Amino acid sequence: MKNFVIRTFRSDDEPDLIDLWRQCGLIVPWNNPETDIQRKLSTSPDLFYVGLLDDELIASCMAGYDGHRGWIYFLAVKSDYQRKGFASMLIDHAESELIKLGCPKVELMVRKTNENVISFYQSAGYDIDPVMVLSKRLTEDEPHDY
Ligand SMILES: CC(C)(COP(=O)(O)OP(=O)(O)OC[C@H]1O[C@@H](n2cnc3c(N)ncnc32)[C@H](O)[C@@H]1OP(=O)(O)O)[C@@H](O)C(=O)NCCC(=O)NCCS
């Protein structure tokens, strides 16, 4: 029986993590994944998780806490290992860590093109809020080939 472990991201996970994000459709032209990783490591590396089945990196979850709300990004599980409860374990772990920091509520964004994951989040207890997300780009990332 394989052993599933959740731990914080380490720099040598980067190639496997970017490959996971690429396979799961989480990489977009306007976000450079290497830059995304560096920004996370320079702010709150303790909230950046990977899931390993034996030694294989199969899952990820990036959490954040801004002092008011917690956030979840980059939740992903390799397609061969989906529907086995791994994302549920990662999100439970991230929520537990956010609670320890005093975070009262966690939020996340789902792209309109990815609405099929809503069922997963609803099964994990997340509701769709009647809000619109507004954003403004402050800097441009370097182009990438992923
Ligand atoms: C969303 C994702 C992380 C879910 O990972 P997972 O490990 O398969 O999820 P779990 O096995 O923990 O699912 C728990 C429950 O969520 C629901 N669920 C999960 N995936 C679902 C799907 N594709 N359709 C319907 N319900 C789903 C089910 O109720 C499931 O329980 P069940 O398998 O006993 O029926 C995975 O599909 C994924 O990596 N998708 C691509 C990346 C992505 O879009 N991430 C989200 C960005 S916002």
Side-chain angles (χ1 to χ4, degrees):
M1 173 134 167
K2 290 189 173 183
N3 185 32
F4 185 64
V5 171
I6 297 172
R7 61 158 170 77
T8 50
F9 171 87
R10 294 194 311 232
S11 291
D12 60 350
D13 296 322
E14 182 168 302
D16 291 338
L17 181 64
I18 292 177
D19 200 44
L20 170 73
W21 289 352
R22 192 185 48 71
Q23 287 178 36
C24 287
L26 296 185
I27 296 186
V28 289
W30 54 92
N31 285 342
N32 182 315
E34 294 171 0
T35 313
D36 282 337
I37 290 169
Q38 286 314 312
R39 279 191 285 249
K40 187 62 187 168
L41 295 179
S42 69
T43 53
S44 51
D46 293 352
L47 293 173
F48 188 14
Y49 307 111
V50 290
L52 293 108
L53 198 56
D54 288 346
D55 287 334
E56 183 183 0
L57 193 156
I58 64 147
S60 73
C61 180
M62 184 191 281
Y65 180 45
D66 59 20
H68 183 63
R69 294 287 180 254
W71 287 91
I72 301 275
Y73 300 96
F74 289 110
L75 183 70
V77 173
K78 254 188 200 177
S79 56
D80 287 354
Y81 299 104
Q82 290 178 7
R83 302 301 292 261
K84 297 178 191 302
F86 292 122
S88 304
M89 285 188 256
L90 268 160
I91 214 160
D92 284 352
H93 180 77
E95 289 172 8
S96 302
E97 295 302 308
L98 289 169
I99 289 168
K100 284 185 204 164
L101 296 173
C103 171
K105 185 179 181 186
V106 63
E107 304 186 339
L108 56 90
M109 292 177 279
V110 174
R111 289 202 172 91
K112 281 274 182 196
T113 51
N114 197 21
E115 288 191 34
N116 56 333
V117 300
I118 298 279
S119 312
F120 164 76
Y121 287 117
Q122 287 179 322
S123 85
Y126 288 69
D127 296 320
I128 299 175
D129 283 351
V131 296
M132 284 187 281
V133 175
L134 281 74
S135 69
K136 178 182 178 182
R137 191 95 207 178
L138 300 178
T139 61
E140 297 298 327
D141 284 3
E142 289 293 319
H144 64 82
D145 295 324
Y146 296 106

